[in-house]
Amino acid sequence: MLDLTYDAPKPKVIAGAKHDWELVIGLEVHAQVATAAKLFSGASTLFGAEPNSNVAFVDAGMPGMLPVINEGCVAQAVRTGLGLKAQINLMSAFDRKNYFYPDLPQGYQISQLYHPIVGEGEVLVEMGNGLARLVRIERIHLEQDAGKSIHDMDPNMSFVDLNRTGVALMEIVSRPDIRGADEAAAYVLKLRQILRYLGTCDGNMQNGNLRADVNVSVCRPGDYEKYQATQDFGHLGTRCEIKNMNSTRFIQAAIDVEARRQIAILEDGGKIVQETRLYDPDKNETRSMRSKEEAHDYRYFPDPDLLPLEIEQAWVDDISASLPELPDDKKARFITDFGLSDYDASVLTADVTNAAFFEQVAQGNDGKLAANWVINELFGRLKKDDKGIDESPISAVRIGQIVALIKSDKISGKIAKDVFDIAYTQDRDPVEIVKTEGMEQVTDTGAIEAAVDEIIAANPAQVEKAKANPKLAGWFVGQVMKATGGKANPAAVNKLVSEKLGL
Ligand code: ADP
Ligand code: MG
């Protein structure tokens, strides 16, 4: 288990206001389910396909077409629920959410309002320095995505691309347990990390595969505690919902400006109107999209085309048994098994592929040294070359060899960087490189001693200076390293130089 203090961060007090205010935030995250086919049709979910090429009759809302549930999507939702330590509902049901929009040919979205497939869960959000917040998940339900209207291709016409219509989304709804803009961003990133570990959503925010509706309200100190004690929303301020955010940077900025807007209204004696707002990154402001009065009446009702969804506990158990090790557990294991710092363990477990790569490097090696080499040398180099870990020109096994060569004193850390560079650029084996290029460290004290003697004999003036000022012994160490082509063992050189100079 990770060694953390829960709920320790103090609620944020907003600067610049007359009074103290605290932020309350709840997120509805829409995560596209990673599956080959859509939620109720066999059409492909491939991103970037020719417009309207991945559309089945049912996605296009053709009369008489019936939806057929994709078992793979259900399994992914269950997997996600289990990964978020949530309650799995063996009985759930689909409802129609009715509204008219050109990118929704059915005239309704199929969703799960009354009986979601996943109930209460939790996400541990680390805030650094061993502090963490437990954000409660209220529910996760499955629903269809809509298509895309295109207004900027023709001055007189709008187009519609239905490739996305009917793709499965998981809507992950949090409780209003998030208390700051930084926490909201950290929560989204943590959720994304877990989904990627589980393989249930690729987490690509740029493509819109993970996006969030951000609910923000402000309250006076003490009010949140009253809400916590009673779970009565009446203690909280009126919220506004900022729609469709797909960048954590914008989420933070939007929360900041929205909180300030609400505080200004309240301090002016005004009231917050519950409404849906949009964030404009260019102007850094949120503006009203629709107020509660204009809100759609979705006329929800159970979808008569779909039977309630019943799943079996044994099936859930099978999925549970196949879950991978999750980020918190992996991080805790890296700290205990490899002796890593909290920071290094976080960096290495941020991405599941990186974590697997590191483990291969660390196999039978010094864990800390392996972590240094993966984080500083490899990640640094890959970043410089704009390459992903899957494209690394040097394998984990080879970095492991370099780490082993350093640990066994065969090469110095400095020479190791040269070995790494050759292995990386020339696709060569580190052990072979050290041998062929004669890079092995000289640990033979006889040879080092000879080099030290020679330099001392040739520089009597420097010897006198060093005897008066021992700091100058470093000059001799440098000369010996130079004479041995950097291959002398630095510890042995230091020791011999001190001895010979009588320091
Ligand atoms: P709706 O269905 O109208 O969107 P929900 O009750 O499902 O309403 O809440 C949606 C989201 O708003 C949830 O994530 C919830 O945590 C959050 N939320 C509810 N009340 C508040 C509040 N006062 N301040 C901030 N967030 C809130
Ligand atoms: Mg909502």
Side-chain angles (χ1 to χ4, degrees), residues 15-44:
K18 272 185 253 163
H19 307 285
D20 287 345
W21 294 94
E22 292 178 1
L23 277 175
V24 178
I25 300 157
L27 260 60
E28 297 159 272
V29 170
H30 296 266
Q32 182 177 322
V33 178
T35 47
K38 296 184 180 181
L39 183 52
F40 299 114
S41 84
S44 165

Side-chain angles (χ1 to χ4, degrees), residues 39 91 152 192 199 267 273 367 390 409 423 430 489:
L39 183 52
M91 232 284 284
D152 56 3
R192 177 170 176 257
E267 294 199 338
V273 184
D390 320 331
D409 273 341
N489 179 315

Side-chain angles (χ1 to χ4, degrees), residues 24-28 138 173-177 215-217 233 236-239 241 274:
V24 178
I25 300 157
L27 260 60
E28 297 159 272
E138 184 183 319
V173 184
S174 87
R175 298 264 180 206
D177 289 350
N215 296 272
V216 181
S217 69
F233 282 98
L236 299 179
T238 303
R239 73 190 149 102
E241 180 179 9
Q274 186 178 335

Side-chain angles (χ1 to χ4, degrees), residues 91-390:
M91 232 284 284
S92 64
F94 289 97
D95 305 294
R96 287 187 183 179
K97 179 179 182 178
N98 299 279
Y99 65 98
F100 174 78
Y101 205 75
D103 64 15
L104 187 76
Q106 281 173 158
Y108 55 83
Q109 177 196 32
I110 305 179
S111 181
Q112 297 188 305
L113 178 68
Y114 302 109
H115 303 285
I117 182 151
V118 178
E120 304 219 326
E122 65 184 36
V123 176
L124 176 71
V125 182
E126 284 183 66
M127 297 307 301
N129 300 325
L131 297 179
R133 188 175 287 285
L134 214 45
V135 175
R136 291 169 301 160
I137 300 294
E138 184 183 319
R139 56 190 273 154
I140 304 175
H141 59 259
L142 275 168
E143 63 184 29
Q144 297 176 299
D145 204 350
K148 197 170 101 188
S149 299
I150 302 157
H151 305 293
D152 56 3
M153 272 176 69
D154 189 287
N156 303 313
M157 273 189 288
S158 283
F159 296 91
V160 69
D161 177 4
L162 299 182
N163 281 350
R164 210 167 193 141
T165 311
V167 166
L169 300 179
M170 296 178 280
E171 179 169 334
I172 306 167
V173 184
S174 87
R175 298 264 180 206
D177 289 350
I178 301 163
R179 309 302 311 281
D182 52 344
E183 281 181 29
Y187 166 77
V188 171
L189 290 176
K190 183 61 181 280
L191 202 53
R192 177 170 176 257
Q193 182 193 27
I194 296 172
L195 298 180
R196 287 167 69 132
Y197 265 65
L198 292 166
T200 57
C201 169
D202 70 12
N204 188 330
M205 297 185 78
Q206 243 164 350
N207 291 355
N209 295 353
L210 190 87
R211 46 194 201 262
D213 298 342
V214 182
N215 296 272
V216 181
S217 69
V218 295
C219 64
R220 301 300 304 276
D223 288 345
Y224 191 80
E225 285 70 21
K226 288 184 202 147
Y227 157 72
Q228 264 183 325
T230 58
Q231 294 299 306
D232 176 358
F233 282 98
H235 294 294
L236 299 179
T238 303
R239 73 190 149 102
C240 287
E241 180 179 9
I242 312 164
K243 273 278 181 210
N244 234 352
M245 309 282 303
N246 68 346
S247 129
T248 48
R249 194 159 58 85
F250 290 162
I251 287 175
Q252 292 199 59
I255 291 171
D256 279 339
V257 289
E258 176 58 18
R260 281 171 214 278
R261 186 189 71 86
Q262 293 183 11
I263 290 166
I265 292 173
L266 292 168
E267 294 199 338
D268 228 28
K271 271 196 164 145
I272 304 302
V273 184
Q274 186 178 335
E275 60 184 359
T276 306
R277 300 179 70 85
L278 279 182
Y279 174 67
D280 178 343
D282 294 328
K283 294 195 177 133
N284 192 31
E285 63 178 32
T286 64
R287 34 169 202 273
S288 180
M289 198 172 135
R290 55 174 181 263
S291 68
K292 201 180 176 186
E293 289 79 59
E294 304 162 69
H296 302 284
D297 173 5
Y298 293 119
R299 292 170 292 124
Y300 276 101
F301 63 86
D303 192 308
D305 289 341
L306 289 156
L307 286 168
L309 182 59
E310 282 183 58
I311 55 177
E312 281 172 11
Q313 187 59 46
W315 187 64
V316 175
D317 294 343
D318 281 350
I319 298 175
S320 181
S322 76
L323 287 195
E325 182 181 37
L326 290 164
D328 295 340
D329 294 333
K330 201 182 280 294
K331 182 178 161 185
R333 183 168 61 81
F334 277 15
I335 291 173
T336 358
D337 287 10
F338 299 115
L340 302 190
S341 66
D342 188 274
Y343 178 80
D344 284 356
S346 288
V347 172
L348 290 168
T349 54
D351 178 276
V352 71
T353 327
N354 287 350
F357 190 99
F358 162 75
E359 273 204 78
Q360 225 187 326
V361 175
Q363 192 79 46
N365 263 323
D366 181 301
K368 264 190 179 146
L369 197 57
N372 280 344
W373 272 78
V374 171
I375 295 172
N376 300 323
E377 300 304 321
L378 180 68
F379 289 176
R381 185 66 180 256
L382 290 174
K383 191 163 181 213
K384 204 171 121 224
D385 294 350
D386 199 18
K387 280 191 161 69
I389 191 96
D390 320 331

Side-chain angles (χ1 to χ4, degrees), residues 445-490:
T445 33
I448 298 173
E449 199 171 349
V452 175
D453 286 343
E454 204 170 301
I455 286 157
I456 285 180
N459 298 283
Q462 281 288 340
V463 172
E464 287 316 308
K465 280 193 204 161
K467 280 188 171 159
N469 180 6
K471 275 188 194 150
L472 298 177
W475 182 85
F476 287 91
V477 174
Q479 292 300 308
V480 175
M481 292 309 281
K482 213 166 165 186
T484 56
K487 287 179 289 178
N489 179 315

